[in-house]
Amino acid sequence: MRLLQRLILLLLAIVLPWASARAERSPGDKLKVVATIPDLVDLVREVGGERVEVSTIARGKENLHNVIARPSHLVALSKADALVQIGLSLETAYIPGLLEGCGNPQVWPGGKGFINCSDGWEAIQVPVVLSRQGGDLHPQGNPHMNLDPRAGRHCVKRICDGLSKLAPEWQAEFEARRDAYLAKLEAPEKRWAALGEQFKGRKFVEYHQEYNYFAQHYGLALVANLEVKPGIPPTPNHLAEVIEKMKAEQCDVIVTALWSKNDFVQRVAEATGAKVVELPNMCGGIAGTDTWIEMMDVLHERLAKAFGIPLPEKPAPEAQKPTQKP
Amino acid sequence: MHRTLPSLSATLALATLAHAQAVPSGQDKLPPTQSNGMVAPLPPQGPLDQVAGQPNSQGTTFVTPGMPTMGLRVSSGQVTRFSNEFNPAFSFIIDSLAQVADNDTGNDGADVQLLSMELAANAWVDPNAWAYFVAVLEDESLAVEEAAIHYTGFGDKNRLRAGRFFIDFGKQMQVHVHELRTLERPLALRAFLGDEVKGDGVQWDSWTTAGDATAIRWSIGAFASTLPELDADADPAVTPVNELASPKNGDDFNFTARLTGFTEAGERGTLQLGTSARFIPNYEAQLDGATIDSDLSNTVYGVDATFGWVGETGVDSWTLGGELLISSGDTGVQLVGPNPANAADYSINGDSLMGYFAFAEYAWNRFNAVGTQFSQAELGDGDEQSEVELYYTRMFSEFHRLRFVLASNDSDFNGTSSRIALQYTAVLGAHGHGVNW
């Protein structure tokens, strides 16, 4: 019996490691890309077109700070040529563990396939002091840059650079697609800017610090957050202060994501008579937000409705389709 | 080297806290703009790069030929004794308990205690290896629970761990007690394996994929000993212990093995199945230095299943699971004579014993969860013990937790005991043990 056990162990030790070897990509093969959020899936498709196969980890309705990693994520990352992330520690809840476990150094930070979309981005709310007294702080600043109206333009450039390094033979194609997408962005950006001008100075309360880039871009006035600090749930004292402040400042809009529309929000809304506006925090969570442009459209429109701002005419459906291969 | 039999006594537990290592994610400053209007990537910045950018700038202490250079033959002068750029990440855990107990044995009453204080450190040794240690202050004594290195330089999905670390058995033996969902490790695990099973040894770990949504992992380990440590309060004159030969030949090492698969069950569910084994090929039972019996062996097998479901917003979740255990071979020492201090009055129990545990937990958001766990184990000679625990866990944030527990234990040896407990656990710093799955 003991001899048998030892033989089994020896066999396992010799044979099994070979089963886990990762197959290398051959030139001409599609790039396998894992994106951390659906927004980046859309942008990778815009740049990569038919040259990429891309999947997402987070799904549209989730709290991006609390995504639970699943087996398919580990498998996908172990086979991936590239990982595309927002960065700024947005994905800290799940990416470091997946990277540690996936055994694919190419997609680790510093690896050829690690594409960090926040590189070169000027973050806001960069903490001066790193202390847990500040809640779940992100050392590099507010990570929700995907909700900034300028983010699509920034991220496609990063993605194009990253994919081009991985597959230089397709660089010209990636760059052409990137340029086409940048051109496609011009019309919606004008549309958003027209609405955004009317956002200036409007007061709102949000649950989590998710829409701060958006607010800063248009000059919206953030009155308070329902969370005590980022990631720290509301306490009764804090809610009482928020209610008092909202009344004093005549703020009647509370902004939530799908994951954060909870009892605390309802309580404050009832106490203040404020409207609760459910906004997308990434693509796919709300109907009609499959692309980043659509998601930003919905974000602008819902907020405009909440503030009583009339909406401009909707764009023709053709303008919303993914960019075609040039 | 004296070791106790697996203990059936109660252990007190601590907290599961999220592993949160930051991924270096680039820079926040705007980089220079290139002529084509594109934003160029920034060059590497930060303390590590500043150091790396000035090779040998810090220098070592002055050494003459034949004297050690930083203790190693390779010295690039990256650090001096006063450098702190490469320090490990440290963390502390404070775990405390207040409880009221009612026992048939008469040991009733209330108590408040610091269960343990843990100090841990994690750091990369070089690009191919990282290491950590976990030291725990418990009952006013400091013990090194884990001190190990993970070598990842084999590439792909293979890893070698060496040093002292918890054995890879099921899902709940890998983790420290404070990381469990419950106040204590399940009774069946405590009965057959011990409160915590760490060993000095090596473990090979590897995994592979099966389709797009399934991962299969296996490990094998060899250890000097995987017997639980002697209970500090036990009297060696009346408490039999197990002893392993030292130094050893091949038969004297202990071995572990685990095979587990992790797959998706529907849109939001995951299912993990696993099987584990621990072999102790050769040990000796002793009482105060006198041999009760020698050439003994014991094997514990386990089959585990865990199902997790997460709501579409990632806020609410269910976790269900359990493990069936069989302990075979020489499973324990029984007192058969009148004198507990006489080695001749003990005999070895050769019956196979069975035990299991099952649990269910529902979290309605990130910060609140309720759960229950039931466990039962055969103790030999027809005796059994069972335990049920109900709990509510309130996370104030990612880094501290309050747990309210109702627990009851029913034993053919000690009768019934029950308790109400309030456990508070706090984590300072970057906590994580590199747990397997």
Side-chain angles (χ1 to χ4, degrees), chain B residues 135-147:
Chain B
V136 173
L137 181 70
E138 209 171 272
D139 297 327
E140 306 308 322
S141 63
L142 188 68
V144 176
E145 290 204 331
E146 295 192 84

Side-chain angles (χ1 to χ4, degrees), chain B residues 38-366:
Chain B
M38 297 301 295
V39 179
L42 281 170
Q45 291 176 1
L48 285 178
D49 301 304
Q50 286 162 17
V51 173
Q54 303 169 50
N56 303 331
S57 61
Q58 298 188 63
T60 60
T61 50
F62 178 75
V63 288
T64 54
M67 296 303 289
T69 54
M70 302 299 284
L72 301 169
R73 288 193 60 79
V74 179
S75 176
S76 300
Q78 292 184 64
V79 291
T80 70
R81 73 184 68 179
F82 307 112
S83 305
N84 58 14
E85 288 86 354
F86 298 96
N87 281 357
F90 289 98
S91 69
F92 296 88
I93 294 178
I94 297 164
D95 191 46
S96 54
L97 182 81
Q99 65 174 345
V100 179
D102 178 16
N103 299 320
D104 281 357
T105 53
N107 190 18
D108 299 343
D111 196 14
V112 179
Q113 64 183 122
L114 174 69
L115 285 178
S116 67
M117 192 213 71
E118 177 187 297
L119 167 65
N122 285 265
W124 283 93
V125 178
D126 69 15
N128 291 318
W130 62 274
Y132 69 105
F133 81 82
V134 179
V136 173
L137 181 70
E138 209 171 272
D139 297 327
E140 306 308 322
S141 63
L142 188 68
V144 176
E145 290 204 331
E146 295 192 84
I149 185 165
H150 284 249
Y151 184 74
T152 61
F154 300 112
D156 291 316
K157 306 172 191 78
N158 305 299
R159 181 170 299 194
L160 184 72
R161 184 161 23 165
R164 176 179 297 178
F165 52 94
F166 282 12
I167 65 168
D168 186 15
F169 190 105
K171 296 193 73 173
Q172 302 209 28
M173 287 311 292
Q174 304 171 24
V175 300
H176 291 245
V177 176
H178 68 263
E179 295 180 302
L180 296 169
R181 276 183 323 282
T182 49
L183 190 61
E184 295 186 288
R185 216 178 287 280
L187 168 72
L189 289 173
R190 303 201 311 268
F192 296 162
L193 293 166
D195 289 345
E196 290 185 335
V197 185
K198 54 180 175 280
D200 294 357
V202 293
Q203 179 181 297
W204 181 271
D205 204 294
S206 188
W207 72 278
T208 190
T209 59
D212 290 334
T214 302
I216 297 169
R217 185 182 72 84
W218 56 89
S219 74
I220 52 174
F223 299 89
S225 170
T226 56
L227 290 170
E229 287 187 346
L230 179 66
D231 182 352
D233 298 329
D235 179 356
V238 293
T239 305
V241 298
N242 293 335
E243 184 171 299
L244 293 163
S246 182
K248 305 175 187 312
N249 60 38
D251 279 353
D252 298 320
F253 281 93
N254 294 183
F255 301 96
T256 63
R258 176 160 171 78
L259 175 66
T260 180
F262 179 41
T263 191
E264 297 190 0
E267 266 292 293
R268 310 217 64 88
T270 57
L271 176 67
Q272 184 173 356
L273 302 173
T275 181
S276 315
R278 183 199 67 178
F279 317 107
I280 301 177
N282 193 7
Y283 73 95
E284 191 174 286
Q286 293 185 350
L287 181 70
D288 199 20
T291 299
I292 297 171
D293 206 344
S294 59
D295 200 22
L296 305 172
S297 69
N298 174 253
T299 304
V300 178
Y301 301 97
V303 179
D304 58 279
T306 310
F307 174 74
W309 177 90
V310 181
E312 63 179 7
T313 59
V315 168
D316 53 331
S317 65
W318 278 96
T319 313
L320 312 168
E323 187 167 11
L324 176 69
L325 296 129
I326 296 171
S327 179
S328 66
D330 303 303
T331 53
V333 180
Q334 291 175 304
L335 182 65
V336 293
N339 184 2
N342 182 7
D345 284 353
Y346 288 91
S347 76
I348 301 300
N349 180 8
D351 298 337
S352 285
L353 306 175
M354 187 178 287
Y356 69 93
F357 67 87
F359 66 88
E361 181 180 274
Y362 173 64
W364 59 93
N365 58 37
R366 292 174 70 192

